[in-house]
Coordinates of all heavy atoms in Angstrom, one line a residue:
V363 N 11.5 3.9 2.7 CA 12.6 4.7 3.3 C 13.9 4.2 2.8 O 14.9 5.0 2.7 CB 12.5 4.7 4.8 CG1 11.3 5.5 5.4 CG2 12.5 3.3 5.4
V364 N 14.0 2.9 2.5 CA 15.3 2.4 2.0 C 15.5 2.9 0.6 O 16.6 3.4 0.2 CB 15.2 0.8 1.9 CG1 16.3 0.3 1.1 CG2 15.2 0.3 3.3
R365 N 14.4 2.9 -0.2 CA 14.6 3.5 -1.6 C 14.8 5.0 -1.6 O 15.6 5.5 -2.4 CB 13.3 3.1 -2.4 CG 13.2 1.7 -2.8 CD 12.0 1.4 -3.6 NE 10.8 1.4 -2.8 CZ 9.5 1.5 -3.3 NH1 9.4 1.7 -4.6 NH2 8.5 1.4 -2.6
L366 N 14.2 5.7 -0.6 CA 14.4 7.1 -0.5 C 15.9 7.4 -0.1 O 16.5 8.4 -0.6 CB 13.5 7.7 0.5 CG 12.1 8.1 -0.1 CD1 11.3 8.8 1.0 CD2 12.3 9.1 -1.2
F367 N 16.4 6.6 0.8 CA 17.8 6.8 1.1 C 18.7 6.6 -0.1 O 19.6 7.4 -0.4 CB 18.3 5.8 2.2 CG 19.7 5.5 2.1 CD1 20.7 6.4 2.5 CD2 20.2 4.3 1.6 CE1 22.0 6.2 2.4 CE2 21.5 4.0 1.5 CZ 22.5 4.9 1.9
A368 N 18.4 5.6 -0.9 CA 19.2 5.4 -2.1 C 19.0 6.6 -3.1 O 20.0 7.0 -3.7 CB 18.7 4.1 -2.8
V369 N 17.8 7.1 -3.2 CA 17.6 8.2 -4.2 C 18.3 9.4 -3.7 O 18.9 10.2 -4.5 CB 16.1 8.5 -4.3 CG1 15.8 9.8 -5.1 CG2 15.4 7.3 -5.0
T370 N 18.3 9.7 -2.4 CA 19.1 10.8 -1.9 C 20.6 10.7 -2.2 O 21.3 11.7 -2.5 CB 18.9 11.0 -0.4 OG1 19.3 9.8 0.3 CG2 17.5 11.3 0.0
S371 N 21.1 9.4 -2.1 CA 22.5 9.2 -2.5 C 22.8 9.4 -3.9 O 23.8 9.8 -4.4 CB 22.9 7.8 -2.0 OG 22.7 7.6 -0.7
I372 N 21.8 9.0 -4.8 CA 21.9 9.2 -6.2 C 21.9 10.7 -6.6 O 22.7 11.1 -7.5 CB 20.9 8.4 -7.0 CG1 21.1 6.9 -6.7 CG2 20.9 8.7 -8.5 CD1 20.0 6.0 -7.3
L373 N 21.0 11.4 -6.0 CA 20.8 12.8 -6.4 C 21.6 13.8 -5.7 O 21.6 15.0 -6.1 CB 19.3 13.2 -6.2 CG 18.2 12.3 -6.9 CD1 16.8 12.8 -6.6 CD2 18.5 12.2 -8.4
S374 N 22.4 13.4 -4.7 CA 23.2 14.4 -3.9 C 24.4 14.8 -4.7 O 24.7 14.3 -5.8 CB 23.7 13.7 -2.7 OG 24.6 12.6 -3.0
P375 N 25.1 15.9 -4.3 CA 26.3 16.4 -5.0 C 27.4 15.4 -5.1 O 28.2 15.4 -6.1 CB 26.7 17.6 -4.1 CG 25.5 18.0 -3.4 CD 24.7 16.8 -3.1
N376 N 27.5 14.4 -4.2 CA 28.4 13.3 -4.3 C 27.8 12.0 -4.8 O 28.4 11.0 -4.7 CB 29.1 13.1 -2.9 CG 29.9 14.3 -2.4 OD1 30.5 15.0 -3.2 ND2 29.8 14.5 -1.1
G377 N 26.7 12.1 -5.4 CA 25.9 10.9 -5.8 C 26.3 10.4 -7.2 O 27.2 11.0 -7.9
L378 N 25.5 9.4 -7.6 CA 25.8 8.7 -8.9 C 25.6 9.7 -10.1 O 26.5 9.7 -11.0 CB 24.8 7.5 -9.0 CG 24.9 6.7 -10.3 CD1 26.3 6.1 -10.4 CD2 23.8 5.6 -10.3
L379 N 24.6 10.5 -10.1 CA 24.4 11.3 -11.3 C 25.4 12.4 -11.4 O 25.9 12.7 -12.5 CB 23.0 12.0 -11.2 CG 21.8 11.0 -11.4 CD1 20.5 11.8 -11.3 CD2 21.9 10.3 -12.7
S380 N 25.8 13.0 -10.2 CA 26.8 14.0 -10.2 C 28.2 13.5 -10.7 O 28.9 14.1 -11.5 CB 26.9 14.7 -8.9 OG 27.9 15.7 -8.8
E381 N 28.5 12.3 -10.2 CA 29.8 11.6 -10.5 C 29.8 11.3 -12.0 O 30.8 11.4 -12.7 CB 30.0 10.4 -9.7 CG 30.2 10.7 -8.2 CD 31.5 11.4 -8.0 OE1 32.5 11.3 -8.8 OE2 31.6 12.1 -6.9
A382 N 28.7 10.8 -12.5 CA 28.6 10.5 -13.9 C 28.7 11.7 -14.8 O 29.4 11.7 -15.8 CB 27.2 9.8 -14.2
S383 N 28.1 12.8 -14.4 CA 28.3 14.1 -15.1 C 29.7 14.6 -15.1 O 30.2 15.0 -16.2 CB 27.4 15.2 -14.4 OG 27.6 16.4 -15.0
Q384 N 30.4 14.4 -14.0 CA 31.8 14.9 -14.0 C 32.7 13.9 -14.9 O 33.6 14.4 -15.5 CB 32.3 14.9 -12.6 CG 31.7 15.9 -11.7 CD 32.2 15.9 -10.3 OE1 33.3 16.3 -10.0 NE2 31.4 15.4 -9.4
A385 N 32.4 12.7 -14.9 CA 33.1 11.7 -15.7 C 33.0 12.0 -17.2 O 33.9 11.8 -18.0 CB 32.7 10.3 -15.4
L386 N 31.8 12.6 -17.6 CA 31.6 12.9 -19.0 C 32.0 14.4 -19.3 O 31.7 14.9 -20.4 CB 30.1 12.8 -19.3 CG 29.5 11.3 -19.2 CD1 28.0 11.3 -19.4 CD2 30.2 10.4 -20.2
G387 N 32.7 15.0 -18.3 CA 33.1 16.4 -18.6 C 32.2 17.5 -18.1 O 32.5 18.7 -18.4
G388 N 31.1 17.1 -17.4 CA 30.2 18.1 -17.0 C 30.6 18.6 -15.6 O 31.7 18.4 -15.1
E389 N 29.6 19.3 -14.9 CA 29.8 19.9 -13.6 C 29.1 19.1 -12.5 O 28.2 18.3 -12.8 CB 29.3 21.3 -13.6 CG 30.0 22.3 -14.6 CD 29.5 23.7 -14.5 OE1 28.5 23.9 -13.8 OE2 30.0 24.6 -15.2
R390 N 29.6 19.3 -11.3 CA 28.9 18.7 -10.2 C 27.6 19.4 -10.0 O 27.5 20.6 -10.0 CB 29.8 18.9 -8.9 CG 29.2 18.2 -7.7 CD 30.1 18.5 -6.5 NE 31.5 18.0 -6.7 CZ 31.9 16.8 -6.3 NH1 31.0 15.9 -5.8 NH2 33.1 16.4 -6.6
F391 N 26.6 18.6 -9.7 CA 25.2 19.2 -9.5 C 24.5 18.3 -8.5 O 24.9 17.2 -8.2 CB 24.5 19.3 -10.8 CG 24.0 18.0 -11.4 CD1 22.8 17.5 -11.1 CD2 24.9 17.3 -12.2 CE1 22.4 16.3 -11.7 CE2 24.5 16.1 -12.7 CZ 23.3 15.6 -12.5
S392 N 23.3 18.8 -8.0 CA 22.5 18.1 -7.1 C 21.0 18.4 -7.4 O 20.6 19.5 -7.7 CB 22.8 18.5 -5.7 OG 21.8 18.0 -4.8
L393 N 20.2 17.3 -7.4 CA 18.8 17.4 -7.6 C 18.0 17.4 -6.3 O 16.8 17.4 -6.3 CB 18.3 16.3 -8.5 CG 18.7 16.5 -10.0 CD1 18.1 15.3 -10.8 CD2 18.2 17.8 -10.6
L394 N 18.7 17.3 -5.2 CA 18.0 17.2 -3.9 C 17.4 18.6 -3.6 O 17.9 19.6 -3.9 CB 19.0 16.9 -2.7 CG 19.5 15.5 -2.6 CD1 20.5 15.3 -1.5 CD2 18.3 14.5 -2.4
Y395 N 16.2 18.5 -3.0 CA 15.4 19.7 -2.6 C 15.0 20.5 -3.8 O 15.0 21.8 -3.7 CB 16.2 20.5 -1.6 CG 16.8 19.7 -0.5 CD1 18.2 19.8 -0.2 CD2 16.1 18.8 0.2 CE1 18.8 19.1 0.8 CE2 16.7 18.0 1.2 CZ 18.0 18.1 1.5 OH 18.6 17.4 2.5
T396 N 14.7 19.8 -4.9 CA 14.2 20.5 -6.1 C 13.0 19.8 -6.6 O 12.7 18.7 -6.1 CB 15.3 20.5 -7.2 OG1 15.5 19.1 -7.6 CG2 16.6 21.1 -6.7
Q397 N 12.3 20.5 -7.5 CA 11.1 19.8 -8.1 C 11.5 18.6 -8.8 O 10.8 17.6 -8.8 CB 10.4 20.8 -9.0 CG 9.7 22.0 -8.3 CD 9.0 22.9 -9.2 OE1 9.0 22.7 -10.4 NE2 8.3 23.9 -8.7
G398 N 12.6 18.6 -9.5 CA 13.1 17.5 -10.3 C 13.4 16.3 -9.4 O 13.0 15.1 -9.7
G399 N 14.0 16.5 -8.2 CA 14.3 15.4 -7.3 C 13.0 14.8 -6.8 O 12.9 13.6 -6.7
T400 N 12.0 15.7 -6.4 CA 10.8 15.2 -5.9 C 10.0 14.4 -7.0 O 9.4 13.3 -6.7 CB 9.9 16.3 -5.4 OG1 10.6 17.1 -4.5 CG2 8.6 15.8 -4.8
L401 N 10.1 14.8 -8.2 CA 9.5 14.1 -9.3 C 10.1 12.7 -9.5 O 9.4 11.7 -9.8 CB 9.6 15.0 -10.6 CG 8.9 14.4 -11.8 CD1 7.4 14.3 -11.6 CD2 9.1 15.3 -13.0
V402 N 11.4 12.7 -9.5 CA 12.1 11.4 -9.6 C 11.7 10.4 -8.6 O 11.3 9.2 -8.9 CB 13.6 11.6 -9.6 CG1 14.3 10.2 -9.5 CG2 14.1 12.3 -10.8
G403 N 11.6 10.8 -7.3 CA 11.2 10.0 -6.2 C 9.8 9.5 -6.3 O 9.5 8.3 -6.1
T404 N 8.9 10.4 -6.8 CA 7.5 10.0 -6.9 C 7.2 9.1 -8.0 O 6.5 8.1 -7.9 CB 6.6 11.3 -7.1 OG1 6.9 12.3 -6.1 CG2 5.2 11.0 -7.0
V405 N 7.9 9.3 -9.1 CA 7.8 8.3 -10.3 C 8.3 7.0 -9.9 O 7.7 5.9 -10.2 CB 8.5 8.9 -11.5 CG1 8.6 7.8 -12.6 CG2 7.8 10.1 -12.0
M406 N 9.4 6.9 -9.2 CA 10.0 5.7 -8.7 C 8.9 4.9 -7.8 O 8.8 3.7 -7.9 CB 11.2 5.9 -7.9 CG 11.8 4.7 -7.2 SD 12.9 5.1 -5.8 CE 11.7 5.8 -4.6
Y407 N 8.2 5.7 -7.0 CA 7.2 5.0 -6.1 C 6.0 4.6 -6.9 O 5.4 3.5 -6.7 CB 6.8 6.0 -5.1 CG 5.7 5.5 -4.1 CD1 6.1 4.7 -3.1 CD2 4.4 5.8 -4.3 CE1 5.1 4.2 -2.2 CE2 3.4 5.3 -3.4 CZ 3.8 4.5 -2.4 OH 2.8 4.0 -1.5
L408 N 5.5 5.3 -7.9 CA 4.3 5.0 -8.6 C 4.4 4.0 -9.7 O 3.5 3.3 -10.1 CB 3.7 6.3 -9.3 CG 3.3 7.5 -8.3 CD1 2.8 8.6 -9.1 CD2 2.2 7.0 -7.4
L409 N 5.6 3.9 -10.3 CA 5.9 3.0 -11.5 C 5.4 1.6 -11.3 O 4.8 1.0 -12.2 CB 7.3 3.1 -11.9 CG 7.7 2.5 -13.2 CD1 6.8 3.0 -14.4 CD2 9.1 2.7 -13.6
P410 N 5.7 0.9 -10.1 CA 5.3 -0.5 -10.0 C 3.7 -0.6 -10.0 O 3.2 -1.5 -10.6 CB 5.8 -0.9 -8.6 CG 7.0 0.0 -8.4 CD 6.6 1.3 -9.0
Y411 N 3.0 0.4 -9.4 CA 1.6 0.4 -9.4 C 1.1 0.4 -10.9 O 0.2 -0.3 -11.3 CB 1.0 1.6 -8.7 CG 1.1 1.5 -7.2 CD1 2.3 2.0 -6.5 CD2 0.1 0.9 -6.4 CE1 2.4 1.9 -5.1 CE2 0.3 0.9 -5.0 CZ 1.4 1.4 -4.4 OH 1.5 1.3 -3.0
M412 N 1.7 1.3 -11.6 CA 1.3 1.5 -13.0 C 1.5 0.2 -13.8 O 0.6 -0.2 -14.6 CB 2.0 2.7 -13.6 CG 1.6 3.0 -15.0 SD -0.1 3.7 -15.2 CE 0.2 5.4 -14.5

Side-chain angles (χ1 to χ4, degrees):
V363 290
V364 169
R365 288 183 283 163
L366 273 181
F367 153 71
V369 172
T370 58
S371 302
I372 292 171
L373 302 182
S374 67
N376 296 323
L378 177 62
L379 289 181
S380 181
E381 293 294 333
S383 173
Q384 293 179 75
L386 296 174
E389 297 181 354
R390 183 185 298 272
F391 70 94
S392 172
L393 289 178
L394 283 179
Y395 315 129
T396 65
Q397 290 183 357
T400 307
L401 183 62
V402 170
T404 308
V405 171
M406 174 203 68
Y407 179 80
L408 296 179
L409 189 54
Y411 289 89
M412 185 69 73

